[in-house]
Structures are given as C-alpha cells and as structure tokens.
Amino acid sequence: MDGIMNKIRNLDAYPKINEDFYSRTLSGGVITVVSSVVMFLLFFSELRLYLHAATETKLVVDTSRGETLRINFDVTFPALACSIVSVDAMDISGEQHLDVKHDIIKKRLDAHGNVIEARPDGIGAPKIEKPLQRHGGRLEHNETYCGSCYGAEAADDDCCNSCEDVREAYRKKGWALSNPDLIDQCKREGFLQKIKDEEGEGCNIYGFLEVNKVAGNFHFAPGKSFQQSNVHVHDLLAFQKESFNLSHKINRLAFGDYFPGVVNPLDSVHWTQEQPSGMYQYFLKVVPTVYTDVSGHTIQSNQFSVTEHFKGAEVGRLQSLPGVFFFYDLSPIKVTFAEQHVSFLHFLTNVCAIVGGVFTVSGILDSFIYHGQKAIKKKMEIGKFS
C-alpha cells in the first residue's frame, strides 16, 4: 500500500517548496495585485456573457409560399385634412384594395397638432328640402328612400343614399365626380362645406394593412381612387384645389411584429414639402426575418432598407399624382436570429483559460523583473569593487 502511495506521490506535478526558501519582493506584490484585478475583470466579463443569451445569425433561402404580409403604419399629415386623404394598396398579382377603411383610424388635427374631437357627419350642412328620390320627386311620407346614382348604377334596383355611395359608384365606373354640388346627396350632406370647414387641418392615420406576400405598393393620396383605362388615378376635381401640401411625418412603419433589436429606418422621418405639388416615393427592400428567443418562442417578422425620392411637378409637363407612395419588394433571402445560452462547460473552460493565462503571464513577467533586478544589482556591485 505504501508503495502505491509513493508512486502516486511521485506523479505530483506541483512539488511544494519549503516556505523558508521563499523570497518575496515588492515587484512581485505589485504584479500579484494587478494580475488579480485583471483576472477578476475578465472573470466578471465572462460571467456576464454566460448569464446573457448570445444571438446567432444565419442566412437561408426563403421558401415560404402563400403567406400574407402585415404592414403597420402611423403617418401624420400636418396640412392634409382627413376628409381628403385615402389609403390604397395593390400588388403585382393584380389584387387591389382601394380607399381602405377597415383596420385604419384617422384623427383630425388642428394647426398645432392637437387632436380635434370627431363630429358627426352632416353638421354644418345647408338645410334643404327632403331627399331627392331616384325617380325625381322628393321623399314622400312613409316612402322608402332610394337615391339616384346619377347614371353610375350597376343594376336597375341600385340606390345611392349618401354622397359616399355616389362617389363609390362613380369610382367603380371609372368616372370622376367633378362637381359635388350637382349631386343631391352631396349637397344635402354639405360635402364641399365640410371640406372647407376642415381647411388648414391635419390628419393622423394609423392602423395596418394585410396584403399578399409579393411585391407591391401602398400609398396615401388625396381623392378617391379608381381605374381608368387600366391606369390608377385619383378624383381630385371634387376638392376644387390646385395643389396639396403633402408634408408628412412617419411616426412608425413596420412590416410584421416587433422583435428585439429590430431597426425600422423610416421611424420618425419627417418631410416638408417646398414645392406646390409632388410625389414622395419610398422604395423598400423587405427581408423576411425569424427571431427565436431562449424559451423557443418564434416571431415571424421582417426588416427593410429604404431609398427615398421626391418627384416634383415640372413646368410644361404633366404633373404626377400627388401622394406618399411606398413601393416594396421582398428579398429571397431570410434572416434567422436564434438566442441561446453558452454551455456551462464552455464557461468553465473559459474561466480556466483566464485564470491559467493570467497566472502564467504574470509569472513570466515577475520572473523577468526579478532576474533583471538581480543582474543590474550584481553589475553595480562589480563596478564598486573594480
């Protein structure tokens, strides 16, 4: 048994030295203090990395098909009334969403940007006779109202009971509503008067659009849009204005849900229109993104880059449609972010490397200083005796 113990004792890689042979120096003490501080700082840094999750980034080909794209937006127009501006969306597949109203909220703003309380339609409208029936006479007692669409009826029994109904019927026909005062419904509701009352107001529009996951565009523009000879146009004659101030601030624009670390480059972007009219264009490159946190929860979202362009009206040329346009295209590459913790064995390995590395380097430095001091001292003593 004693033989085995002696053999194990001979394998000791750390032979002990009697304390009587120790020689402690001032330089060694300074190096010990400095190395201890360095060792502690490196250990604390490694511990922090271990406790916090690391994010791994990968690029893969996006093979998803048939999905939808959610566009969240919040845009403020300081000089464009809510009754004027409309939201349209269309894509290369041919699908169109004109004058979108669902999932969108408009807030009227005064000249100082304060929210104005919405008022019911009809306030301020002129008081005239009873509504004009489709057959030409006025609405009689106990008679069901059926207003005329002024030639835009899709069927014989169609009724347009409001100014908005007439405008929508005209839009479907591809016609422009040039003079609303000639339309009985618009005259009764005070359409033009309402626009005049909102002159100088602004509008805050926010909400979301659900579109196909293909290239397309959405835009904010004055007037009701319609198709005319396969061209997308807006009816601006009804507003009886020569120019529109499309100064705007993009409070938020995001494609999909928020995830940690996402940067939306158009957030808080502000444009002030210097020319009487023009078209603001934003060309966006949307990159599908998948974010997976430590718990395994996955967020399907998107990032995007942007190029901005302003197309002003030039003298002697046909003016562009005034509006704020967002043209987006999707990248075939998908980015994946995955959060994961460093393994404990990896952490332990790094800690051992820190302790051993600092200890070894400080030992080499201490030995160099100690032997250097001895050599200098020896030379000085030789010089004294010579």
Side-chain angles (χ1 to χ4, degrees):
M1 187 66 180
D2 292 338
I4 297 176
M5 297 297 290
N6 289 331
K7 289 182 179 180
I8 295 177
R9 188 179 293 109
N10 291 332
L11 296 176
D12 185 7
Y14 312 99
K16 311 304 182 291
I17 302 175
N18 195 310
E19 293 185 3
D20 294 337
F21 298 99
Y22 284 156
S23 177
R24 303 184 186 276
T25 62
L26 178 62
S27 60
V30 173
I31 292 175
T32 301
V33 173
V34 173
S35 62
S36 299
V37 172
V38 172
M39 196 181 302
F40 174 78
L41 292 177
L42 293 177
F43 172 78
F44 181 77
S45 176
E46 189 66 30
L47 180 63
R48 187 176 60 178
L49 291 175
Y50 171 71
L51 296 177
H52 290 76
T55 302
E56 182 182 2
T57 305
K58 290 183 180 179
L59 297 178
V60 296
V61 176
D62 185 14
T63 58
S64 60
R65 293 293 180 270
E67 297 181 354
T68 58
L69 185 65
R70 180 164 176 157
I71 306 172
N72 304 295
F73 60 86
D74 184 349
V75 183
T76 299
F77 295 91
L80 200 63
C82 288
S83 59
I84 294 179
V85 66
S86 63
V87 183
D88 301 328
M90 54 199 69
D91 57 50
I92 59 174
S93 69
E95 185 169 328
Q96 297 186 10
H97 304 273
L98 304 180
D99 197 16
V100 183
K101 289 183 170 61
H102 57 84
D103 301 319
I104 292 177
I105 298 174
K106 295 181 179 180
K107 287 184 178 180
R108 292 172 53 198
L109 307 176
D110 62 16
H112 303 289
N114 301 316
V115 178
I116 302 174
E117 186 175 357
R119 66 180 187 185
D121 291 338
I123 292 182
K127 302 296 182 181
I128 65 171
E129 297 181 72
K130 294 180 179 179
L132 187 66
Q133 285 285 54
R134 180 178 173 183
H135 54 68
R138 293 291 170 182
L139 182 64
E140 300 294 339
H141 184 63
N142 293 330
E143 185 181 9
T144 303
Y145 176 52
C146 180
S148 173
C149 294
Y150 296 86
E153 295 89 349
D156 292 338
D157 57 347
D158 280 354
C159 300
C160 293
N161 297 338
S162 66
C163 182
E164 184 65 25
D165 291 344
V166 178
R167 295 178 68 200
E168 183 66 18
Y170 268 55
R171 183 192 68 78
K172 291 179 179 178
K173 285 284 186 179
W175 299 349
L177 188 64
S178 58
N179 191 354
D181 268 348
L182 298 179
I183 307 299
D184 180 67
Q185 292 90 324
C186 297
K187 189 176 181 181
R188 278 190 301 105
E189 296 173 7
F191 177 76
L192 290 179
Q193 184 62 41
K194 182 179 178 182
I195 293 175
K196 291 178 182 178
D197 291 342
E198 294 185 6
E199 185 72 28
E201 290 184 6
C203 187
N204 174 232
I205 308 175
Y206 63 93
F208 67 90
L209 296 169
E210 200 82 27
V211 298
N212 295 325
K213 196 175 180 180
V214 294
N217 81 83
F218 66 98
H219 56 267
F220 305 86
K224 184 175 284 290
S225 59
F226 58 90
Q227 293 292 118
Q228 191 175 68
S229 302
N230 295 324
V231 177
H232 182 80
V233 295
H234 279 246
D235 178 15
L236 303 179
L237 296 175
F239 302 115
Q240 301 178 359
K241 295 183 65 175
E242 296 182 356
S243 63
F244 298 89
N245 187 346
L246 290 166
S247 299
H248 60 279
K249 180 182 179 182
I250 304 174
N251 303 307
R252 178 173 181 260
L253 180 66
F255 290 79
D257 298 329
Y258 170 82
F259 63 90
V262 64
V263 176
N264 297 316
L266 283 179
D267 287 0
S268 301
V269 167
H270 183 268
W271 273 87
T272 301
Q273 181 171 304
E274 304 293 343
Q275 301 184 24
S277 184
M279 174 191 292
Y280 293 90
Q281 297 175 317
Y282 298 93
F283 299 92
L284 314 175
K285 192 69 173 183
V286 181
V287 181
T289 304
V290 180
Y291 185 88
T292 305
D293 60 19
V294 180
S295 60
H297 176 65
T298 300
I299 301 174
Q300 300 281 347
S301 189
N302 301 273
Q303 303 177 88
F304 68 92
S305 61
V306 61
T307 301
E308 304 170 1
H309 178 67
F310 175 73
K311 189 176 181 181
E314 298 181 15
V315 179
R317 295 187 60 183
L318 182 65
Q319 292 187 359
S320 305
L321 173 66
V324 180
F325 288 74
F326 297 87
F327 300 90
Y328 57 89
D329 192 12
L330 285 103
S331 169
I333 301 299
K334 179 188 291 185
V335 180
T336 62
F337 295 108
E339 281 188 347
Q340 54 187 8
H341 275 300
V342 178
S343 67
F344 178 74
L345 290 178
H346 184 76
F347 167 72
L348 193 60
T349 301
N350 288 345
V351 170
C352 292
I354 289 171
V355 174
V358 173
F359 184 80
T360 302
V361 171
S362 59
I364 294 173
L365 184 62
D366 177 63
S367 176
F368 176 77
I369 294 174
Y370 175 73
H371 290 292
Q373 287 178 342
K374 283 186 66 176
I376 293 172
K377 188 176 180 181
K378 189 173 183 180
K379 288 184 177 181
M380 291 177 65
E381 290 178 351
I382 294 174
K384 288 181 179 179
F385 292 109
S386 61

